[in-house]
């Protein structure tokens, strides 16, 4: 019996796939199809799949062409499989010519001509075509529109069509209403003081919004915006790139599954050191202060892990001289029922940008810069019990954020990564900062 094996993602199974499977099967008597797992696809930069592994496997099974379907989960697995299943022929489409010659040591390698004119990417792009308008200006180091546009290229189904952007590198500048009216969705990265009005206008107009965090500077406004989104059948999503990275997502889940016992403290630090003294007054007004720029990401870690129900909050801040609320350093401390938390953020001071989640049995340690990490450790008293976790990260999480936004628009649900309660709690801390009652100037 001649055994043939082939691999692929097979998202939204199309006739190009079927033709390949039929020809692969005709090369022998028994066909094994390896379908890539969702995690493995992410590590190879395939982030756009519409269907889950289970759905893709079911579609392959339904063709009746494959004798056996397996999941492909790691680099190097092909060699393992060829040995394990006693494979005689490895077949793959001609888009991979040369790439799998190394398997020739284990079995025969055959490249089959690819069917012209069809691909999963094309089908995905046709299925959803979201016209994205860009709103914003330079000012935040974290939220450059240029970076966003670069990352957008990796996402199927969304395209930037116009912009109201004061920033180098974007050629066109139209007014807000014109951009809104010709878009299905807006990416808003304007100064946080403009978010509420801009988001409100967009939602009333029936336009979806992905807004750089914080969504607004008060809890009430934030709640109102989510209600508006619901009333107008729109997605309102918080653009906090860290939330969309696999490493962060997984560490929050691990923390919640009791791997480090009961959580007693979450401590997150984000700092950048700028020469703020050279800023002119209007530049200060256009720039994001520390609490709005770095605060939300650190707060995300606190609220995702400990929830939003804290009992007390205290804020200490150091202002840039002669400004009313431009903080160069801020520390926020939270008291929960059974835990505490703190965030330390700065644009005019420097510290170690790490995240530590302390538990009764161990701690999760994310080294600097934790907000764009691909790596973390769970550490215990007995060092030999320590565990290391690595998850490929591309584009600082921005491209995953856009994929999540596109999916949210298609599925009509966007609160999977960042719950509305977390968005509201972040806005609530901004509000406390600007109200000043709980703020101590240092
Ligand atoms: N394939 C093919 N003809 C096509 C598309 C794919 O022969 N028009 C083959 C590929 O060469 C591969 C298998 O089908 O051997 C699975 O390919 P996959 O990457 O899952 O499909 P694509 O449509 O190429 O997906 P994408 O657009 O996401 O890259």
């Amino acid at each position: 019996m001649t055994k043939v094996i082939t691999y692929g993602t097979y998202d939204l199974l199309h006739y190009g796939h079927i033709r390949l499977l039929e020809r692969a099967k005709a090369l022998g008597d028994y066909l094994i199809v390896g379908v890539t797992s969702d995690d493995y696809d992410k590590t190879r930069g395939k982030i756009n799949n519409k269907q889950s592994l289970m759905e893709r496997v079911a579609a392959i099974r339904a063709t009746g062409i494959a004798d056996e379907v397996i999941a492909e989960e790691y680099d190097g697995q092909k060699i393992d499989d060829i040995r394990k299943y006693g494979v005689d022929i490895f077949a793959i489409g001609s888009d991979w010519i040369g790439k799998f010659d190394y398997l020739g040591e284990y079995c025969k390698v055959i490249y089959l001509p690819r069917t012209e004119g069809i691909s999963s990417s094309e089908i995905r792009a046709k299925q959803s075509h979201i016209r994205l308008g860009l709103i914003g200006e330079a000012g935040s180091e974290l939220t450059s529109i240029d970076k966003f546009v670069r990352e957008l290229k990796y996402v199927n189904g969304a395209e930037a069509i116009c912009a109201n952007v004061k920033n180098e590198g974007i050629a066109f500048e139209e007014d807000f209403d014109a951009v809104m009216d010709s878009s299905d969705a807006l990416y808003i990265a304007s100064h946080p003081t403009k978010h509420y009005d801009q988001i409100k206008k967009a939602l009333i107009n029936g336009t979806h919004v992905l807004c750089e965090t914080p969504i607004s500077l008060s809890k009430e406004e934030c709640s109102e915006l989510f209600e508006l989104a619901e009333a107008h059948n729109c997605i309102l999503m918080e653009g906090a790139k860290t939330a969309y990275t696999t490493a962060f997502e997984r560490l929050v889940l691990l923390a919640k599954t009791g791997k480090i016992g009961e959580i007693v403290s979450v401590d997150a630090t984000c700092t950048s050191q700028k020469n703020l003294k050279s800023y002119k007054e209007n530049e200060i007004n256009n720039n994001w202060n520390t609490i709005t720029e770095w605060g939300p990401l650190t707060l995300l870690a606190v609220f995702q892990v400990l929830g939003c129900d804290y009992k007390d909050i205290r804020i200490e801040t150091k202002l840039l001289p002669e400004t009313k609320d431009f903080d160069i350093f801020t520390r926020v401390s939270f008291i929960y029922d059974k835990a505490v938390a703190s965030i330390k953020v700065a644009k005019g001071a420097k510290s170690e940008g790490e995240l530590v989640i302390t538990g009764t049995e161990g701690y999760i340690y994310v080294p600097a810069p934790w907000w764009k990490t691909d790596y973390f450790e769970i550490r215990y008293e007995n060092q030999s019990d320590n565990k290391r976790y690595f998850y490929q990260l591309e584009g600082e999480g921005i491209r995953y954020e856009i994929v999540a936004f596109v999916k949210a628009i298609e599925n009509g649900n966007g609160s999977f990564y960042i719950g509305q309660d977390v968005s509201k709690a972040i806005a609530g801390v901004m509000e406390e900062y600007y109200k000043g009652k709980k703020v101590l100037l240092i």
Side-chain angles (χ1 to χ4, degrees):
M1 182 167 74
T2 306
K3 278 193 175 180
V4 185
I5 198 162
T6 188
Y7 295 86
T9 303
Y10 305 105
D11 191 31
L12 308 170
L13 199 74
H14 54 69
Y15 72 84
H17 294 143
I18 310 260
R19 283 199 62 223
L20 182 111
L21 294 177
E22 285 170 345
R23 284 173 293 152
K25 171 88 184 224
L27 293 172
D29 314 299
Y30 190 87
L31 177 67
I32 303 170
V33 179
V35 183
T36 49
S37 73
D38 299 322
D39 270 2
Y40 181 53
D41 263 336
K42 257 194 185 172
T43 67
R44 21 179 241 138
K46 271 211 172 195
I47 57 170
N48 286 296
N49 289 350
K50 288 280 181 253
Q51 295 182 302
S52 68
L53 170 65
M54 296 298 274
E55 290 170 314
R56 291 178 285 121
V57 165
I60 295 283
R61 285 224 169 95
T63 65
I65 305 169
D67 296 285
E68 193 168 346
V69 185
I70 59 170
E72 184 183 20
E73 295 177 287
Y74 56 91
D75 274 329
Q77 188 185 322
K78 292 185 179 77
I79 297 176
D80 261 358
D81 289 342
I82 290 167
R83 286 175 173 159
K84 190 157 101 192
Y85 296 100
V87 167
D88 304 288
I89 299 171
F90 169 87
I92 195 103
S94 53
D95 41 327
W96 294 99
I97 263 180
K99 295 267 169 38
F100 292 108
D101 290 355
Y102 70 91
L103 293 175
E105 205 181 301
Y106 309 93
C107 67
K108 196 167 167 188
V109 175
I110 297 180
Y111 297 101
L112 296 164
R114 194 181 153 90
T115 306
E116 291 301 315
I118 186 154
S119 72
S120 302
S121 315
E122 246 172 70
I123 299 175
R124 283 189 297 256
K126 271 190 202 139
Q127 272 188 356
S128 63
H129 184 79
I130 294 162
R131 296 166 305 157
L132 204 57
L134 311 172
I135 307 289
E137 63 264 304
S140 160
E141 332 158 18
L142 283 178
T143 60
S144 125
I145 295 227
D146 293 351
K147 221 188 244 178
F148 186 86
V149 171
R150 273 201 305 277
E151 288 298 309
L152 194 56
K153 298 203 176 79
Y154 296 94
V155 181
N156 294 150
E159 181 202 9
I161 47 135
C162 52
N164 169 258
V165 176
K166 290 197 186 72
N167 199 359
E168 286 164 29
I170 303 278
F172 37 130
E173 205 176 299
E174 296 169 34
D175 76 10
F176 182 90
D177 287 15
V179 173
M180 182 178 73
D181 289 339
S182 44
S183 308
D184 306 307
L186 294 183
Y187 168 63
I188 298 183
S190 55
H191 192 269
T193 50
K194 296 180 187 161
H195 287 181
Y196 172 73
D197 289 336
Q198 291 179 334
I199 296 174
K200 191 170 175 177
K201 209 168 179 186
L203 294 175
I204 290 173
N205 194 51
T207 311
H208 305 287
V209 175
L210 169 62
C211 180
E212 271 307 326
T213 182
I215 281 184
S216 75
L217 299 178
S218 96
K219 199 170 192 165
E220 203 179 309
E221 283 179 359
C222 189
S223 304
E224 184 194 330
L225 293 174
F226 278 119
E227 277 163 28
L228 261 183
E230 219 160 296
H232 290 266
N233 275 328
C234 285
I235 294 296
L236 168 59
M237 229 175 82
E238 181 139 18
K241 60 184 180 181
T242 308
Y244 303 90
T245 65
T246 315
F248 182 75
E249 221 187 314
R250 297 287 160 88
L251 80 85
V252 170
L253 292 175
L254 282 175
K256 288 184 171 176
T257 50
K259 283 256 189 255
I260 53 169
E262 192 186 333
I263 296 165
V264 292
S265 182
V266 176
D267 302 274
T269 302
C270 291
T271 67
S272 51
Q273 214 281 317
K274 289 269 131 87
N275 183 11
L276 298 166
K277 289 204 179 84
S278 63
Y279 279 7
K280 295 187 193 79
E281 199 182 324
N282 64 332
E283 279 175 327
I284 288 288
N285 291 336
N286 285 331
N287 267 277
W288 298 44
N289 58 2
T290 297
I291 192 70
T292 52
E293 177 148 344
W294 282 122
L297 288 187
T298 46
L299 292 169
L300 183 79
V302 172
F303 295 141
Q304 298 276 55
V305 175
L306 290 176
C308 306
D309 238 355
Y310 56 86
K311 303 285 165 233
D312 203 5
I313 178 174
R314 190 193 155 99
I315 304 173
E316 289 112 13
T317 196
K318 190 174 181 64
L319 296 180
L320 187 67
E322 290 152 42
T323 64
K324 195 164 105 306
D325 48 32
F326 197 99
D327 55 334
I328 57 166
F329 171 87
T330 292
R331 192 173 73 171
V332 185
S333 316
F334 299 91
I335 309 278
Y336 282 77
D337 241 354
K338 292 184 174 157
V340 291
S342 74
I343 65 153
K344 202 159 66 180
V345 288
K347 281 182 84 170
K350 197 67 199 155
S351 188
E352 184 71 9
E354 60 190 15
L355 168 65
V356 182
I357 303 175
T358 310
T360 51
E361 284 165 30
Y363 65 100
I364 297 178
Y365 175 71
V366 195
W370 70 265
W371 57 95
K372 46 180 174 187
T373 193
D374 49 12
Y375 176 77
F376 64 89
E377 289 179 28
I378 299 191
R379 294 180 177 173
Y380 297 98
E381 180 72 26
N382 182 357
Q383 287 188 14
S384 60
D385 293 337
N386 288 2
K387 284 209 163 63
R388 300 181 176 85
Y389 296 82
F390 179 83
Y391 300 95
Q392 185 77 28
L393 173 69
E394 311 277 356
E396 296 179 18
I398 299 169
R399 71 183 68 165
Y400 311 123
E401 173 183 301
I402 310 173
V403 169
F405 184 51
V406 171
K407 281 200 176 142
I409 293 175
E410 284 169 356
N411 304 335
N413 177 7
S415 59
F416 177 61
Y417 287 91
I418 306 177
Q420 289 189 11
D421 55 335
V422 171
S423 293
K424 288 176 200 168
I426 291 174
V429 174
M430 301 299 126
E431 187 175 344
E432 291 288 3
Y433 175 84
Y434 285 105
K435 269 200 318 211
K437 275 197 195 140
K438 302 256 179 181
V439 181
L440 178 78
L441 291 179
I442 55 168

